[in-house]
Coordinates of all heavy atoms in Angstrom, one line a residue:
L1 N 0.9 -1.2 0.0 CA 0.0 0.0 0.0 C 0.9 1.3 0.0 O 0.6 2.3 -0.7 CB -1.0 0.0 1.2 CG -2.1 -1.0 1.3 CD1 -2.8 -0.9 2.6 CD2 -3.1 -0.9 0.1
E2 N 1.9 1.3 0.8 CA 2.8 2.5 0.9 C 3.5 2.7 -0.4 O 3.6 3.8 -1.0 CB 3.8 2.2 2.0 CG 3.4 2.3 3.4 CD 4.5 2.0 4.4 OE1 5.6 2.0 4.0 OE2 4.2 1.9 5.6
N3 N 4.0 1.6 -1.1 CA 4.7 1.8 -2.3 C 3.8 2.2 -3.4 O 4.1 3.2 -4.3 CB 5.3 0.4 -2.8 CG 6.4 0.0 -1.9 OD1 7.1 0.8 -1.3 ND2 6.6 -1.4 -1.8
T4 N 2.5 1.7 -3.6 CA 1.5 2.2 -4.5 C 1.2 3.7 -4.2 O 1.1 4.4 -5.2 CB 0.3 1.4 -4.4 OG1 0.7 0.0 -4.6 CG2 -0.7 1.8 -5.5
A5 N 1.0 4.1 -3.0 CA 0.8 5.5 -2.8 C 1.8 6.4 -3.1 O 1.5 7.4 -3.8 CB 0.4 5.6 -1.2
L6 N 3.0 5.9 -2.8 CA 4.3 6.7 -3.2 C 4.3 6.9 -4.8 O 4.6 8.0 -5.3 CB 5.5 6.1 -2.7 CG 6.9 6.9 -3.0 CD1 6.8 8.3 -2.5 CD2 8.0 6.2 -2.4
E7 N 4.1 5.7 -5.5 CA 4.1 5.8 -6.9 C 3.2 6.9 -7.6 O 3.4 7.6 -8.4 CB 3.8 4.4 -7.4 CG 5.0 3.5 -7.3 CD 4.6 2.1 -7.7 OE1 3.5 1.9 -8.2 OE2 5.5 1.2 -7.6
Q8 N 1.9 6.9 -6.8 CA 0.8 7.7 -7.4 C 1.2 9.2 -7.1 O 1.0 10.1 -8.0 CB -0.5 7.4 -6.6 CG -1.1 6.1 -7.1 CD -1.6 6.2 -8.5 OE1 -2.2 7.0 -9.0 NE2 -1.2 5.1 -9.3
I9 N 1.8 9.5 -5.9 CA 2.2 10.9 -5.6 C 3.3 11.3 -6.5 O 3.3 12.5 -7.0 CB 2.6 10.9 -4.2 CG1 1.4 10.7 -3.2 CG2 3.3 12.2 -3.9 CD1 1.7 10.5 -1.7
L10 N 4.3 10.5 -6.9 CA 5.4 10.8 -7.6 C 5.0 11.0 -9.1 O 5.8 11.8 -9.8 CB 6.5 9.7 -7.6 CG 7.2 9.6 -6.2 CD1 8.2 8.4 -6.3 CD2 8.0 10.9 -5.8
V11 N 3.9 10.6 -9.6 CA 3.5 10.8 -11.0 C 2.5 12.0 -11.0 O 1.8 12.3 -11.9 CB 2.9 9.6 -11.7 CG1 3.9 8.6 -11.8 CG2 1.6 9.1 -11.0
G12 N 2.3 12.7 -9.8 CA 1.4 13.9 -9.7 C 0.1 13.7 -9.3 O -0.7 14.7 -9.2
N13 N -0.3 12.4 -8.8 CA -1.7 12.3 -8.3 C -1.7 12.5 -6.8 O -0.6 12.4 -6.0 CB -2.1 10.9 -8.6 CG -2.3 10.6 -10.0 OD1 -2.6 11.5 -10.8 ND2 -1.9 9.4 -10.5
E14 N -2.8 12.9 -6.2 CA -2.9 13.2 -4.8 C -3.4 11.9 -4.1 O -4.3 11.2 -4.6 CB -3.9 14.3 -4.5 CG -3.4 15.6 -5.0 CD -4.4 16.8 -4.5 OE1 -5.3 16.5 -3.7 OE2 -4.1 18.0 -4.9
V15 N -2.9 11.6 -2.9 CA -3.3 10.6 -2.0 C -3.6 11.2 -0.8 O -2.8 11.8 -0.1 CB -2.2 9.4 -1.8 CG1 -2.7 8.4 -0.8 CG2 -1.9 8.8 -3.2
E16 N -4.9 11.3 -0.4 CA -5.4 12.1 0.8 C -4.6 11.8 2.0 O -4.5 10.7 2.5 CB -6.9 11.9 1.0 CG -7.4 12.9 2.1 CD -8.9 12.7 2.3 OE1 -9.5 12.0 1.4 OE2 -9.4 13.1 3.2
G17 N -4.0 12.9 2.7 CA -3.3 12.7 3.9 C -1.9 12.3 3.8 O -1.2 12.2 4.9
W18 N -1.4 12.1 2.6 CA 0.0 11.8 2.4 C 0.8 12.6 1.4 O 0.2 13.2 0.5 CB 0.0 10.1 2.0 CG -0.5 9.3 3.0 CD1 -1.9 9.0 3.1 CD2 0.1 8.7 4.0 NE1 -2.1 8.1 4.2 CE2 -0.8 7.9 4.8 CE3 1.4 8.7 4.5 CZ2 -0.5 7.2 6.0 CZ3 1.8 7.8 5.6 CH2 0.9 7.2 6.2
K19 N 2.1 12.6 1.5 CA 3.0 13.3 0.6 C 4.3 12.6 0.5 O 4.6 11.7 1.2 CB 3.2 14.7 1.1 CG 3.9 14.9 2.4 CD 4.1 16.4 2.7 CE 4.9 16.4 4.0 NZ 5.1 17.8 4.5
A20 N 5.1 12.9 -0.5 CA 6.4 12.3 -0.7 C 7.4 13.3 -0.1 O 7.4 14.5 -0.4 CB 6.6 12.0 -2.1
V21 N 8.4 12.8 0.7 CA 9.5 13.6 1.2 C 10.8 13.0 0.9 O 10.9 11.9 0.4 CB 9.3 13.8 2.8 CG1 8.0 14.6 3.0 CG2 9.3 12.5 3.4
E22 N 11.8 13.7 1.1 CA 13.2 13.2 1.0 C 13.6 12.3 2.1 O 13.5 12.7 3.2 CB 14.2 14.3 0.7 CG 15.6 13.8 0.3 CD 16.6 14.9 0.1 OE1 16.2 15.9 -0.6 OE2 17.7 14.9 0.5
G23 N 13.9 11.1 1.8 CA 14.4 10.2 2.8 C 15.7 10.4 3.3 O 16.5 11.1 2.8
R24 N 16.1 9.6 4.3 CA 17.5 9.7 4.8 C 18.5 9.1 3.8 O 18.2 8.2 3.1 CB 17.6 8.8 6.2 CG 18.9 8.9 6.8 CD 18.9 7.9 8.0 NE 20.3 7.9 8.6 CZ 20.5 7.1 9.6 NH1 19.6 6.4 10.2 NH2 21.8 7.1 10.1
S25 N 19.7 9.7 3.7 CA 20.7 9.2 2.9 C 22.0 9.3 3.7 O 22.2 10.0 4.6 CB 20.9 10.1 1.7 OG 21.2 11.4 2.0
N26 N 23.0 8.6 3.2 CA 24.3 8.6 3.8 C 25.3 9.3 3.0 O 25.3 9.3 1.8 CB 24.9 7.2 4.0 CG 24.0 6.4 4.9 OD1 23.5 6.9 6.0 ND2 23.7 5.1 4.6
R27 N 26.3 9.9 3.7 CA 27.4 10.7 3.0 C 28.3 9.7 2.2 O 28.5 8.5 2.6 CB 28.2 11.5 3.9 CG 27.5 12.5 4.7 CD 28.4 13.2 5.6 NE 28.9 12.3 6.6 CZ 29.9 12.5 7.6 NH1 30.4 13.6 7.5 NH2 30.1 11.6 8.4
T28 N 28.7 10.1 1.1 CA 29.6 9.3 0.2 C 30.8 10.2 -0.4 O 30.7 11.4 -0.3 CB 29.0 8.7 -1.1 OG1 28.4 9.8 -1.9 CG2 27.8 7.7 -0.6
I29 N 31.9 9.5 -0.6 CA 33.1 10.3 -1.3 C 32.9 10.1 -2.8 O 33.0 8.9 -3.3 CB 34.4 9.7 -0.8 CG1 34.5 9.9 0.8 CG2 35.6 10.4 -1.5 CD1 35.6 9.3 1.4
K30 N 32.7 11.1 -3.5 CA 32.4 11.0 -4.9 C 33.7 10.7 -5.7 O 33.6 10.1 -6.9 CB 31.8 12.4 -5.4 CG 32.6 13.6 -5.3 CD 31.8 14.8 -5.7 CE 32.6 16.2 -5.6 NZ 31.8 17.3 -5.9
D31 N 34.9 11.0 -5.2 CA 36.2 10.6 -6.0 C 37.0 10.1 -4.9 O 37.9 10.9 -4.4 CB 36.7 11.8 -6.7 CG 37.9 11.4 -7.6 OD1 38.5 10.4 -7.3 OD2 38.2 12.2 -8.5
V32 N 37.0 8.8 -4.6 CA 37.8 8.2 -3.6 C 39.3 8.3 -3.8 O 40.0 8.7 -2.9 CB 37.4 6.7 -3.4 CG1 38.3 6.0 -2.4 CG2 35.9 6.6 -3.0
D33 N 39.7 8.1 -5.1 CA 41.2 8.2 -5.3 C 41.7 9.5 -5.0 O 42.8 9.7 -4.5 CB 41.5 7.8 -6.8 CG 41.2 6.3 -7.0 OD1 41.2 5.5 -6.1 OD2 40.8 5.8 -8.2

């Protein structure tokens, strides 16, 4: 249900009471060498 609601929101449809937000991410080194 969560995945389907998120898919609908990301294509521009409204799901009452819910929205898409940026989730947690981890820092990375973009050029390790």
Side-chain angles (χ1 to χ4, degrees):
L1 290 176
E2 288 180 7
N3 290 337
T4 302
L6 181 59
E7 288 174 1
Q8 289 295 309
I9 292 170
L10 290 178
V11 297
N13 298 325
E14 288 188 8
V15 176
E16 185 176 348
W18 297 86
K19 65 179 180 179
V21 297
E22 184 174 319
R24 180 182 176 182
S25 66
N26 295 319
R27 294 177 299 165
T28 61
I29 300 175
K30 59 184 179 182
D31 189 338
V32 175
D33 292 337

